[in-house]
Amino acid sequence: MTESIPREILDDLYEYPRKRTALAFVLWGVLGVFGAHRIYLNRTWTGILMLLTGGGAARQTQREQLRIPPVALDFLPVSDGSELSRRPEWDDPASQEGTRGMFRVTADALVLVLAGYALGAVARLTGNIESITAVGALIVVTNFGHQLAPLHSVPLVGDLVRWSYRLRLFYHHVRPGSTLSRLVRPIAGFVFAPFRKRSRAEVGLYLRLGGAFVVLFLLEDLATEVVQPAVARADLSGLTGGWWLKDVVFTLLNIYAFAVPIGATLMLYLLSRRSRVAVGVLSLVTVAAIIGGALGGL
């Protein structure tokens, strides 16, 4: 399985974010109790010092001049985009053979069944289909992202393709974890995010996916539940209240919780197998589990 990351996508992945001292002060004043300013500056323990000195921006500029990854991605090596054509260092070919390999595939399939069924069940009970849509998009780009790469400049589709390459490159250098650990990975990610850059990067990737779909569906909700009735009644009362905030938070967390174990498991097989058959079969298993949960039974 040979694949290289297109240069435009690679440049976007390694984009150097500029840290603004003014914004850091705002985060400190509003969300300082949660350590938001420290996370923004990518320095958990020395964030306050960087906040006062503006060191975050200076360090990013220095790293860019040296052509090395940004601070938030400094656990990744310098990339030329070709590493996806090679097996990850964490991959053990022997684990894919014989009884051991069959046990591993079965256990990973069970993870996908549990996560998929729970996703479908939650959607059925709450009526929240946004999470199914987001995870469905994740499954599609995992299987066909390389074929969609030429569309990287197309709005929405291109954003999803670039995101999928970010995810591939991340897991190529960061082991997706053991079978059982992937089930608790969403919770563990939030727990360790303040202390580990890898956890912050992974959480950020999936929240970015969720955020994109939350915005799309929120705009649809505003149009159907607020704008149309307001035009009919010449009344803007539908814009008041916190219904939209609760919906956004629930949807974002729901997408994150189910996309992490499914995404990590599928990426494990995408990156370690020479054939895409295993990824396709496991994707179908996941889709079947989601449908089973949504319908109330397998």
Short mmCIF file of all heavy atoms in Angstrom, two decimals, residues 46-109:
data_model
loop_
_atom_site.label_atom_id
_atom_site.label_comp_id
_atom_site.label_asym_id
_atom_site.label_seq_id
_atom_site.Cartn_x
_atom_site.Cartn_y
_atom_site.Cartn_z
N THR A 46 4.53 25.97 32.26
CA THR A 46 5.17 27.28 32.16
C THR A 46 4.33 28.25 31.35
O THR A 46 4.83 29.26 30.86
CB THR A 46 6.56 27.15 31.51
OG1 THR A 46 6.41 26.57 30.21
CG2 THR A 46 7.47 26.26 32.35
N GLY A 47 3.06 27.97 31.22
CA GLY A 47 2.18 28.82 30.43
C GLY A 47 2.10 30.25 30.93
O GLY A 47 2.05 31.18 30.15
N ILE A 48 2.10 30.42 32.25
CA ILE A 48 1.98 31.76 32.80
C ILE A 48 3.20 32.60 32.42
O ILE A 48 3.07 33.77 32.04
CB ILE A 48 1.84 31.70 34.34
CG1 ILE A 48 0.51 31.01 34.70
CG2 ILE A 48 1.90 33.09 34.95
CD1 ILE A 48 0.30 30.88 36.19
N LEU A 49 4.38 31.99 32.48
CA LEU A 49 5.59 32.73 32.11
C LEU A 49 5.56 33.14 30.65
O LEU A 49 5.89 34.28 30.30
CB LEU A 49 6.83 31.85 32.38
CG LEU A 49 8.17 32.49 31.99
CD1 LEU A 49 8.39 33.75 32.80
CD2 LEU A 49 9.30 31.49 32.22
N MET A 50 5.14 32.23 29.81
CA MET A 50 5.06 32.55 28.38
C MET A 50 3.99 33.60 28.12
O MET A 50 4.12 34.41 27.21
CB MET A 50 4.75 31.27 27.58
CG MET A 50 5.86 30.25 27.59
SD MET A 50 5.48 28.82 26.58
CE MET A 50 5.45 29.58 24.96
N LEU A 51 2.93 33.57 28.93
CA LEU A 51 1.87 34.56 28.80
C LEU A 51 2.40 35.96 29.05
O LEU A 51 2.09 36.92 28.34
CB LEU A 51 0.74 34.24 29.77
CG LEU A 51 -0.40 35.26 29.88
CD1 LEU A 51 -1.12 35.38 28.56
CD2 LEU A 51 -1.36 34.83 30.98
N LEU A 52 3.27 36.08 30.06
CA LEU A 52 3.79 37.39 30.43
C LEU A 52 4.88 37.87 29.47
O LEU A 52 5.04 39.08 29.28
CB LEU A 52 4.36 37.33 31.86
CG LEU A 52 3.34 37.02 32.97
CD1 LEU A 52 4.05 36.90 34.30
CD2 LEU A 52 2.28 38.10 33.03
N THR A 53 5.61 36.93 28.88
CA THR A 53 6.75 37.31 28.04
C THR A 53 6.46 37.26 26.55
O THR A 53 7.26 37.73 25.74
CB THR A 53 7.94 36.39 28.33
OG1 THR A 53 7.57 35.04 27.99
CG2 THR A 53 8.33 36.45 29.81
N GLY A 54 5.33 36.63 26.19
CA GLY A 54 5.05 36.47 24.77
C GLY A 54 5.95 35.45 24.11
O GLY A 54 6.13 35.45 22.89
N GLY A 55 6.52 34.55 24.89
CA GLY A 55 7.46 33.56 24.37
C GLY A 55 6.86 32.59 23.40
O GLY A 55 7.57 31.99 22.60
N GLY A 56 5.53 32.40 23.48
CA GLY A 56 4.89 31.45 22.58
C GLY A 56 5.09 31.83 21.12
O GLY A 56 5.47 31.01 20.29
N ALA A 57 4.86 33.10 20.79
CA ALA A 57 5.00 33.54 19.41
C ALA A 57 6.45 33.47 18.94
O ALA A 57 6.74 33.05 17.82
CB ALA A 57 4.49 34.99 19.28
N ALA A 58 7.37 33.85 19.83
CA ALA A 58 8.79 33.83 19.45
C ALA A 58 9.26 32.40 19.18
O ALA A 58 10.01 32.15 18.22
CB ALA A 58 9.62 34.46 20.57
N ARG A 59 8.80 31.47 20.00
CA ARG A 59 9.25 30.09 19.83
C ARG A 59 8.70 29.50 18.54
O ARG A 59 9.38 28.77 17.82
CB ARG A 59 8.80 29.26 21.03
CG ARG A 59 9.41 27.87 21.04
CD ARG A 59 8.95 27.08 22.24
NE ARG A 59 9.59 25.77 22.24
CZ ARG A 59 9.18 24.77 23.01
NH1 ARG A 59 8.16 24.94 23.83
NH2 ARG A 59 9.79 23.61 22.98
N GLN A 60 7.45 29.80 18.21
CA GLN A 60 6.86 29.29 16.98
C GLN A 60 7.63 29.82 15.76
O GLN A 60 7.91 29.09 14.81
CB GLN A 60 5.39 29.71 16.87
CG GLN A 60 4.47 29.01 17.87
CD GLN A 60 4.15 27.58 17.46
OE1 GLN A 60 4.92 26.91 16.83
NE2 GLN A 60 2.97 27.11 17.87
N THR A 61 7.98 31.11 15.80
CA THR A 61 8.70 31.70 14.69
C THR A 61 10.06 31.04 14.50
O THR A 61 10.49 30.75 13.38
CB THR A 61 8.89 33.21 14.91
OG1 THR A 61 7.60 33.82 15.04
CG2 THR A 61 9.64 33.84 13.75
N GLN A 62 10.74 30.78 15.62
CA GLN A 62 12.05 30.13 15.55
C GLN A 62 11.94 28.72 14.97
O GLN A 62 12.76 28.33 14.13
CB GLN A 62 12.67 30.07 16.95
CG GLN A 62 14.07 29.46 16.96
CD GLN A 62 14.63 29.38 18.35
OE1 GLN A 62 13.89 29.23 19.33
NE2 GLN A 62 15.94 29.49 18.49
N ARG A 63 10.93 27.97 15.39
CA ARG A 63 10.76 26.60 14.89
C ARG A 63 10.42 26.62 13.39
O ARG A 63 10.86 25.77 12.63
CB ARG A 63 9.65 25.89 15.68
CG ARG A 63 9.99 25.67 17.14
CD ARG A 63 8.84 24.99 17.86
NE ARG A 63 8.70 23.60 17.42
CZ ARG A 63 9.36 22.58 17.97
NH1 ARG A 63 10.21 22.79 18.96
NH2 ARG A 63 9.18 21.35 17.53
N GLU A 64 9.63 27.61 12.96
CA GLU A 64 9.29 27.70 11.54
C GLU A 64 10.53 27.98 10.70
O GLU A 64 10.71 27.42 9.62
CB GLU A 64 8.24 28.79 11.32
CG GLU A 64 7.76 28.88 9.88
CD GLU A 64 6.65 29.89 9.72
OE1 GLU A 64 6.42 30.70 10.64
OE2 GLU A 64 5.99 29.86 8.67
N GLN A 65 11.40 28.85 11.20
CA GLN A 65 12.63 29.15 10.47
C GLN A 65 13.52 27.93 10.35
O GLN A 65 14.24 27.76 9.36
CB GLN A 65 13.37 30.29 11.17
CG GLN A 65 12.63 31.63 11.10
CD GLN A 65 13.30 32.70 11.93
OE1 GLN A 65 14.18 32.43 12.76
NE2 GLN A 65 12.88 33.94 11.72
N LEU A 66 13.48 27.04 11.35
CA LEU A 66 14.27 25.82 11.32
C LEU A 66 13.57 24.70 10.57
O LEU A 66 14.11 23.61 10.44
CB LEU A 66 14.59 25.37 12.76
CG LEU A 66 15.46 26.32 13.57
CD1 LEU A 66 15.57 25.83 15.02
CD2 LEU A 66 16.85 26.45 12.95
N ARG A 67 12.35 24.97 10.11
CA ARG A 67 11.56 24.00 9.34
C ARG A 67 11.32 22.71 10.13
O ARG A 67 11.44 21.60 9.62
CB ARG A 67 12.23 23.68 8.00
CG ARG A 67 12.42 24.89 7.11
CD ARG A 67 12.95 24.51 5.75
NE ARG A 67 11.95 23.74 5.02
CZ ARG A 67 10.95 24.28 4.34
NH1 ARG A 67 10.80 25.59 4.31
NH2 ARG A 67 10.10 23.52 3.68
N ILE A 68 10.97 22.87 11.42
CA ILE A 68 10.60 21.74 12.26
C ILE A 68 9.15 21.93 12.69
O ILE A 68 8.61 23.03 12.61
CB ILE A 68 11.52 21.59 13.49
CG1 ILE A 68 11.52 22.88 14.32
CG2 ILE A 68 12.94 21.25 13.04
CD1 ILE A 68 12.42 22.80 15.54
N PRO A 69 8.46 20.86 13.14
CA PRO A 69 7.03 20.95 13.45
C PRO A 69 6.72 22.03 14.49
O PRO A 69 7.57 22.36 15.32
CB PRO A 69 6.70 19.55 13.99
CG PRO A 69 7.71 18.66 13.36
CD PRO A 69 8.96 19.48 13.28
N PRO A 70 5.50 22.58 14.46
CA PRO A 70 5.09 23.56 15.47
C PRO A 70 5.16 22.99 16.87
O PRO A 70 5.26 21.77 17.06
CB PRO A 70 3.63 23.86 15.08
CG PRO A 70 3.52 23.44 13.66
CD PRO A 70 4.45 22.29 13.48
N VAL A 71 5.10 23.85 17.87
CA VAL A 71 5.23 23.43 19.26
C VAL A 71 4.20 22.38 19.62
O VAL A 71 4.51 21.38 20.27
CB VAL A 71 5.08 24.65 20.20
CG1 VAL A 71 5.04 24.21 21.66
CG2 VAL A 71 6.22 25.63 19.98
N ALA A 72 2.96 22.57 19.17
CA ALA A 72 1.89 21.63 19.52
C ALA A 72 2.11 20.26 18.90
O ALA A 72 1.50 19.28 19.34
CB ALA A 72 0.54 22.18 19.07
N LEU A 73 2.98 20.17 17.87
CA LEU A 73 3.23 18.90 17.20
C LEU A 73 4.70 18.49 17.32
O LEU A 73 5.20 17.73 16.49
CB LEU A 73 2.85 18.99 15.72
CG LEU A 73 1.39 19.29 15.39
CD1 LEU A 73 1.21 19.46 13.89
CD2 LEU A 73 0.48 18.18 15.91
N ASP A 74 5.39 18.94 18.36
CA ASP A 74 6.82 18.67 18.43
C ASP A 74 7.15 17.22 18.75
O ASP A 74 8.32 16.84 18.76
CB ASP A 74 7.51 19.61 19.42
CG ASP A 74 7.05 19.40 20.86
OD1 ASP A 74 6.22 18.51 21.09
OD2 ASP A 74 7.54 20.14 21.74
N PHE A 75 6.13 16.39 18.99
CA PHE A 75 6.37 14.96 19.16
C PHE A 75 6.41 14.25 17.81
O PHE A 75 6.72 13.06 17.73
CB PHE A 75 5.29 14.33 20.04
CG PHE A 75 3.89 14.56 19.56
CD1 PHE A 75 3.30 13.73 18.63
CD2 PHE A 75 3.16 15.64 20.03
CE1 PHE A 75 2.02 13.94 18.18
CE2 PHE A 75 1.87 15.87 19.58
CZ PHE A 75 1.30 15.02 18.65
N LEU A 76 6.09 14.97 16.73
CA LEU A 76 6.15 14.41 15.38
C LEU A 76 7.49 14.76 14.73
O LEU A 76 8.02 15.84 14.97
CB LEU A 76 5.01 14.95 14.51
CG LEU A 76 3.59 14.59 14.91
CD1 LEU A 76 2.61 15.24 13.95
CD2 LEU A 76 3.39 13.09 14.94
N PRO A 77 8.01 13.88 13.90
CA PRO A 77 9.25 14.19 13.18
C PRO A 77 8.96 15.10 11.99
O PRO A 77 7.81 15.29 11.61
CB PRO A 77 9.73 12.81 12.72
CG PRO A 77 8.45 12.04 12.53
CD PRO A 77 7.53 12.52 13.62
N VAL A 78 10.01 15.65 11.42
CA VAL A 78 9.86 16.41 10.19
C VAL A 78 9.36 15.46 9.11
O VAL A 78 9.85 14.34 8.97
CB VAL A 78 11.21 17.03 9.77
CG1 VAL A 78 11.07 17.75 8.43
CG2 VAL A 78 11.71 17.98 10.84
N SER A 79 8.36 15.88 8.37
CA SER A 79 7.72 14.99 7.39
C SER A 79 7.92 15.49 5.98
O SER A 79 7.86 16.69 5.72
CB SER A 79 6.22 14.89 7.69
OG SER A 79 5.55 14.18 6.67
N ASP A 80 8.17 14.54 5.07
CA ASP A 80 8.18 14.87 3.65
C ASP A 80 6.93 14.34 2.95
O ASP A 80 6.79 14.43 1.74
CB ASP A 80 9.43 14.30 2.97
CG ASP A 80 9.49 12.78 3.05
OD1 ASP A 80 8.55 12.16 3.60
OD2 ASP A 80 10.49 12.21 2.56
N GLY A 81 6.01 13.78 3.74
CA GLY A 81 4.74 13.31 3.21
C GLY A 81 4.74 11.88 2.71
O GLY A 81 3.71 11.38 2.27
N SER A 82 5.90 11.21 2.78
CA SER A 82 5.99 9.87 2.20
C SER A 82 5.89 8.75 3.22
O SER A 82 5.85 7.57 2.86
CB SER A 82 7.31 9.72 1.44
OG SER A 82 8.41 9.79 2.34
N GLU A 83 5.82 9.08 4.51
CA GLU A 83 5.88 8.02 5.51
C GLU A 83 4.66 7.12 5.53
O GLU A 83 4.71 6.00 6.03
CB GLU A 83 6.11 8.59 6.93
CG GLU A 83 5.06 9.57 7.40
CD GLU A 83 5.52 10.99 7.21
OE1 GLU A 83 5.83 11.35 6.06
OE2 GLU A 83 5.55 11.74 8.20
N LEU A 84 3.55 7.58 4.97
CA LEU A 84 2.36 6.73 4.95
C LEU A 84 2.53 5.52 4.03
O LEU A 84 1.72 4.59 4.08
CB LEU A 84 1.13 7.53 4.52
CG LEU A 84 0.68 8.64 5.47
CD1 LEU A 84 -0.62 9.26 4.99
CD2 LEU A 84 0.54 8.13 6.89
N SER A 85 3.57 5.54 3.21
CA SER A 85 3.84 4.38 2.35
C SER A 85 4.62 3.30 3.08
O SER A 85 4.84 2.23 2.55
CB SER A 85 4.62 4.82 1.10
OG SER A 85 5.89 5.35 1.47
N ARG A 86 5.00 3.59 4.33
CA ARG A 86 5.75 2.62 5.14
C ARG A 86 4.94 2.23 6.36
O ARG A 86 4.09 2.99 6.83
CB ARG A 86 7.09 3.23 5.58
CG ARG A 86 7.96 3.69 4.43
CD ARG A 86 9.30 4.18 4.95
NE ARG A 86 9.18 5.39 5.74
CZ ARG A 86 9.22 6.62 5.24
NH1 ARG A 86 9.35 6.80 3.93
NH2 ARG A 86 9.13 7.67 6.02
N ARG A 87 5.24 1.05 6.89
CA ARG A 87 4.57 0.61 8.11
C ARG A 87 5.02 1.47 9.29
O ARG A 87 6.19 1.85 9.37
CB ARG A 87 4.88 -0.86 8.40
CG ARG A 87 4.16 -1.85 7.50
CD ARG A 87 4.57 -3.28 7.85
NE ARG A 87 3.85 -4.24 7.03
CZ ARG A 87 2.71 -4.80 7.38
NH1 ARG A 87 2.15 -4.48 8.53
NH2 ARG A 87 2.11 -5.66 6.58
N PRO A 88 4.13 1.75 10.22
CA PRO A 88 4.52 2.52 11.41
C PRO A 88 5.52 1.73 12.26
O PRO A 88 5.56 0.50 12.22
CB PRO A 88 3.19 2.70 12.17
CG PRO A 88 2.13 2.41 11.17
CD PRO A 88 2.70 1.42 10.21
N GLU A 89 6.32 2.42 13.02
CA GLU A 89 7.31 1.76 13.88
C GLU A 89 6.64 0.91 14.95
O GLU A 89 7.21 -0.08 15.42
CB GLU A 89 8.22 2.81 14.52
CG GLU A 89 9.13 3.52 13.53
CD GLU A 89 10.09 4.47 14.21
OE1 GLU A 89 10.06 4.52 15.47
OE2 GLU A 89 10.86 5.16 13.52
N TRP A 90 5.43 1.29 15.37
CA TRP A 90 4.77 0.54 16.42
C TRP A 90 4.13 -0.76 15.93
O TRP A 90 3.69 -1.59 16.72
CB TRP A 90 3.69 1.39 17.11
CG TRP A 90 2.74 2.10 16.17
CD1 TRP A 90 2.77 3.42 15.84
CD2 TRP A 90 1.63 1.54 15.45
NE1 TRP A 90 1.75 3.72 14.96
CE2 TRP A 90 1.03 2.60 14.71
CE3 TRP A 90 1.07 0.26 15.37
CZ2 TRP A 90 -0.09 2.40 13.90
CZ3 TRP A 90 -0.03 0.06 14.56
CH2 TRP A 90 -0.60 1.12 13.83
N ASP A 91 4.09 -0.95 14.62
CA ASP A 91 3.41 -2.12 14.07
C ASP A 91 4.26 -3.38 14.22
O ASP A 91 5.46 -3.37 13.96
CB ASP A 91 3.09 -1.89 12.59
CG ASP A 91 2.33 -3.06 11.98
OD1 ASP A 91 1.41 -3.56 12.63
OD2 ASP A 91 2.69 -3.46 10.86
N ASP A 92 3.61 -4.46 14.62
CA ASP A 92 4.25 -5.76 14.76
C ASP A 92 3.61 -6.73 13.79
O ASP A 92 2.51 -7.22 14.05
CB ASP A 92 4.12 -6.27 16.20
CG ASP A 92 4.74 -7.64 16.40
OD1 ASP A 92 5.51 -8.07 15.52
OD2 ASP A 92 4.45 -8.28 17.43
N PRO A 93 4.25 -7.03 12.65
CA PRO A 93 3.65 -7.93 11.66
C PRO A 93 3.28 -9.29 12.23
O PRO A 93 2.31 -9.91 11.78
CB PRO A 93 4.75 -8.05 10.59
CG PRO A 93 5.55 -6.80 10.74
CD PRO A 93 5.54 -6.51 12.20
N ALA A 94 4.04 -9.76 13.23
CA ALA A 94 3.76 -11.08 13.81
C ALA A 94 2.40 -11.11 14.49
O ALA A 94 1.77 -12.17 14.59
CB ALA A 94 4.85 -11.45 14.81
N SER A 95 1.91 -9.94 14.94
CA SER A 95 0.62 -9.91 15.65
C SER A 95 -0.55 -10.10 14.69
O SER A 95 -1.69 -10.27 15.13
CB SER A 95 0.47 -8.57 16.38
OG SER A 95 0.39 -7.50 15.46
N GLN A 96 -0.29 -10.08 13.38
CA GLN A 96 -1.35 -10.24 12.39
C GLN A 96 -1.43 -11.66 11.86
O GLN A 96 -2.24 -11.94 10.97
CB GLN A 96 -1.10 -9.27 11.23
CG GLN A 96 -1.03 -7.81 11.65
CD GLN A 96 -0.77 -6.89 10.48
OE1 GLN A 96 -0.96 -7.26 9.33
NE2 GLN A 96 -0.33 -5.68 10.76
N GLU A 97 -0.60 -12.55 12.38
CA GLU A 97 -0.54 -13.90 11.84
C GLU A 97 -1.12 -14.92 12.81
O GLU A 97 -1.09 -14.75 14.03
CB GLU A 97 0.93 -14.26 11.55
CG GLU A 97 1.60 -13.32 10.54
CD GLU A 97 3.07 -13.63 10.36
OE1 GLU A 97 3.56 -14.53 11.09
OE2 GLU A 97 3.72 -12.98 9.52
N GLY A 98 -1.66 -16.00 12.24
CA GLY A 98 -2.12 -17.14 13.03
C GLY A 98 -3.23 -16.82 14.01
O GLY A 98 -4.04 -15.90 13.82
N THR A 99 -3.25 -17.59 15.09
CA THR A 99 -4.29 -17.45 16.12
C THR A 99 -4.24 -16.08 16.77
O THR A 99 -5.28 -15.47 17.06
CB THR A 99 -4.12 -18.54 17.19
OG1 THR A 99 -4.14 -19.82 16.56
CG2 THR A 99 -5.23 -18.45 18.22
N ARG A 100 -3.04 -15.58 16.98
CA ARG A 100 -2.89 -14.27 17.61
C ARG A 100 -3.54 -13.18 16.75
O ARG A 100 -4.21 -12.29 17.27
CB ARG A 100 -1.41 -13.97 17.81
CG ARG A 100 -1.12 -12.65 18.50
CD ARG A 100 0.38 -12.42 18.61
NE ARG A 100 0.69 -11.14 19.19
CZ ARG A 100 1.91 -10.62 19.27
NH1 ARG A 100 2.95 -11.33 18.82
NH2 ARG A 100 2.11 -9.43 19.80
N GLY A 101 -3.33 -13.28 15.44
CA GLY A 101 -3.91 -12.29 14.55
C GLY A 101 -5.43 -12.36 14.53
O GLY A 101 -6.11 -11.33 14.52
N MET A 102 -5.98 -13.58 14.52
CA MET A 102 -7.43 -13.75 14.52
C MET A 102 -8.05 -13.21 15.80
O MET A 102 -9.10 -12.58 15.79
CB MET A 102 -7.77 -15.22 14.34
CG MET A 102 -7.49 -15.76 12.94
SD MET A 102 -8.49 -14.89 11.67
CE MET A 102 -10.15 -15.32 12.20
N PHE A 103 -7.37 -13.46 16.93
CA PHE A 103 -7.88 -12.95 18.21
C PHE A 103 -7.88 -11.43 18.22
O PHE A 103 -8.82 -10.79 18.69
CB PHE A 103 -7.01 -13.48 19.35
CG PHE A 103 -7.42 -12.94 20.70
CD1 PHE A 103 -8.51 -13.48 21.38
CD2 PHE A 103 -6.71 -11.90 21.28
CE1 PHE A 103 -8.89 -12.98 22.61
CE2 PHE A 103 -7.09 -11.39 22.52
CZ PHE A 103 -8.18 -11.94 23.18
N ARG A 104 -6.82 -10.85 17.68
CA ARG A 104 -6.72 -9.39 17.64
C ARG A 104 -7.82 -8.80 16.78
O ARG A 104 -8.48 -7.83 17.18
CB ARG A 104 -5.35 -8.99 17.09
CG ARG A 104 -5.20 -7.49 16.85
CD ARG A 104 -3.86 -7.19 16.20
NE ARG A 104 -3.78 -5.81 15.75
CZ ARG A 104 -2.75 -5.28 15.11
NH1 ARG A 104 -1.71 -6.04 14.84
NH2 ARG A 104 -2.77 -4.03 14.73
N VAL A 105 -8.05 -9.36 15.60
CA VAL A 105 -9.09 -8.84 14.72
C VAL A 105 -10.46 -8.97 15.36
O VAL A 105 -11.29 -8.05 15.29
CB VAL A 105 -9.06 -9.56 13.36
CG1 VAL A 105 -10.25 -9.15 12.51
CG2 VAL A 105 -7.76 -9.27 12.62
N THR A 106 -10.70 -10.11 16.00
CA THR A 106 -11.99 -10.33 16.66
C THR A 106 -12.22 -9.32 17.78
O THR A 106 -13.31 -8.76 17.92
CB THR A 106 -12.06 -11.76 17.23
OG1 THR A 106 -11.87 -12.70 16.16
CG2 THR A 106 -13.41 -12.01 17.89
N ALA A 107 -11.18 -9.10 18.58
CA ALA A 107 -11.30 -8.14 19.68
C ALA A 107 -11.52 -6.72 19.17
O ALA A 107 -12.36 -5.98 19.71
CB ALA A 107 -10.03 -8.20 20.55
N ASP A 108 -10.81 -6.35 18.12
CA ASP A 108 -10.99 -5.01 17.56
C ASP A 108 -12.37 -4.85 16.92
O ASP A 108 -12.98 -3.78 17.00
CB ASP A 108 -9.90 -4.74 16.51
CG ASP A 108 -8.53 -4.56 17.14
OD1 ASP A 108 -8.47 -4.21 18.33
OD2 ASP A 108 -7.52 -4.78 16.45
N ALA A 109 -12.85 -5.92 16.28
CA ALA A 109 -14.20 -5.88 15.72
C ALA A 109 -15.23 -5.69 16.82
O ALA A 109 -16.24 -4.98 16.64
CB ALA A 109 -14.49 -7.16 14.94
#
